[in-house]
Amino acid sequence: MMAVEIKYVVVRKGEEKMTFASKKEADAYDKMLDMADVFTDWLSASALEIDEPQSEALGLFLAENKDALQHILRSGKMPASDQQDDTQAAPLRAVKSA
């Protein structure tokens, strides 16, 4: 008997980034990467003198931690330490790419 597996692959600029077992998880990761791109572009357009790898890393960090960032922007305070665990990017279930 042959097993059939459906995998959802997130591809950026022709490069496979991650493979997921569900479309929902792949879409969430793709959306997070879109947000990271926007943050990176925004940082690159700023007066800050940071190089491209740093702005990409910072953009990805901000996108991965968007819930904590939103909390800080709304309240002007750091999330509570017990709340901070909840605001971290939810771990995504990836499947190893062949």
Side-chain angles (χ1 to χ4, degrees):
M1 175 151 187
M2 186 158 114
V4 175
E5 288 184 34
I6 297 175
K7 295 180 181 177
Y8 299 89
V9 181
V10 176
V11 178
R12 287 288 170 127
K13 299 176 186 171
E15 180 184 333
E16 287 188 18
K17 292 295 187 181
M18 189 90 68
T19 303
F20 296 90
S22 80
K23 183 175 182 342
K24 181 179 178 181
E25 291 170 327
D27 286 343
Y29 186 76
D30 189 50
K31 184 177 179 180
M32 189 268 309
L33 290 178
D34 285 341
M35 189 180 312
D37 286 344
V38 171
F39 280 132
T40 300
D41 292 345
W42 180 58
L43 290 166
S44 296
S46 75
L48 298 171
E49 292 186 26
I50 55 177
D51 61 25
E52 188 175 341
Q54 287 176 317
S55 63
E56 287 176 358
L58 185 52
L60 186 59
F61 173 80
L62 292 171
E64 288 173 337
N65 295 283
K66 71 177 179 75
D67 293 336
L69 179 61
Q70 288 173 340
H71 176 84
I72 293 167
L73 292 171
R74 276 194 313 268
S75 69
K77 298 177 183 176
M78 290 289 290
S81 60
D82 62 326
Q83 190 180 16
Q84 199 167 17
D85 293 335
D86 294 341
T87 60
Q88 295 295 322
L92 299 171
R93 241 185 37 225
V95 252
K96 188 171 182 168
S97 189

